[in-house]
């Protein structure tokens, strides 16, 4: 697979964001994402926990293909959670851009407690 350029990465995120919004009004019997939305925040968060655990296990195994697969699942479910709360991947990207070039120690000190 060819690496994605910035434009292609943005297009993937945009298509996923649009699909997640569309699934908010879909029938829960016809869409996995609509079913997650219907079950609510706790079900979405549980799924993120499961995917995070699977990602850790994959990373411990060192199997690069499995790490990518499980990380994709984790990211996807995080995007579902963001959409459930009226947020988008773009919101996270803006925050990452804000932090770019900041020391982790400095960034943590700047947070309000």
């Amino acid at each position: 697979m060819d690496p994605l350029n910035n434009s292609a990465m943005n297009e993937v995120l945009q298509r996923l964001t649009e699909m997640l919004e569309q699934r908010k009004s879909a029938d829960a019997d016809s869409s996995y994402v609509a079913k997650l939305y219907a079950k609510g925040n706790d079900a979405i968060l549980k799924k993120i926990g499961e995917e995070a655990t699977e990602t850790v296990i994959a990373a411990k195994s060192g199997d690069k293909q499995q790490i990518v697969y499980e990380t994709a699942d984790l990211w996807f479910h995080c995007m579902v959670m963001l959409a459930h709360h009226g947020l988008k991947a773009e919101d996270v990207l803006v925050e990452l851009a804000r932090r770019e070039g900041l020391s982790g120690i400095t960034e943590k000190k700047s947070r309000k407690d």
Side-chain angles (χ1 to χ4, degrees):
M1 179 172 82
D2 292 335
L4 296 174
N5 61 36
N6 286 342
S7 177
M9 285 188 286
N10 288 338
E11 289 174 15
V12 168
L13 288 174
Q14 184 60 40
R15 283 193 308 272
L16 280 171
T17 298
E18 290 170 4
M19 180 274 299
L20 292 172
E21 282 302 311
Q22 292 169 356
R23 295 301 191 271
K24 286 181 177 179
S25 60
D27 181 359
D29 291 332
S30 68
S31 164
Y32 168 75
V33 173
K35 188 178 295 189
L36 275 178
Y37 287 144
K39 289 181 178 180
N41 196 51
D42 285 348
I44 295 166
L45 297 177
K46 180 180 178 189
K47 192 63 184 169
I48 289 173
E50 291 171 7
E51 297 301 343
T53 300
E54 291 172 5
T55 301
V56 169
I57 292 167
K60 292 279 289 175
S61 78
D63 181 333
K64 290 182 180 185
Q65 183 177 358
Q66 198 64 23
I67 293 168
V68 169
Y69 179 86
E70 295 300 345
T71 301
D73 282 351
L74 177 58
W75 286 9
F76 177 81
H77 287 89
C78 285
M79 288 182 69
V80 171
M81 180 266 307
L82 289 168
H84 180 72
H85 288 281
L87 298 165
K88 299 177 182 179
E90 180 182 352
D91 297 310
V92 177
L93 293 173
V94 167
E95 176 60 15
L96 288 171
R98 183 192 69 79
R99 295 181 187 187
E100 192 173 6
L102 286 178
S103 135
I105 294 169
T106 303
E107 194 282 324
K108 283 190 178 216
K109 285 181 181 177
S110 73
R111 294 183 196 178
K112 296 176 182 165
D113 294 321

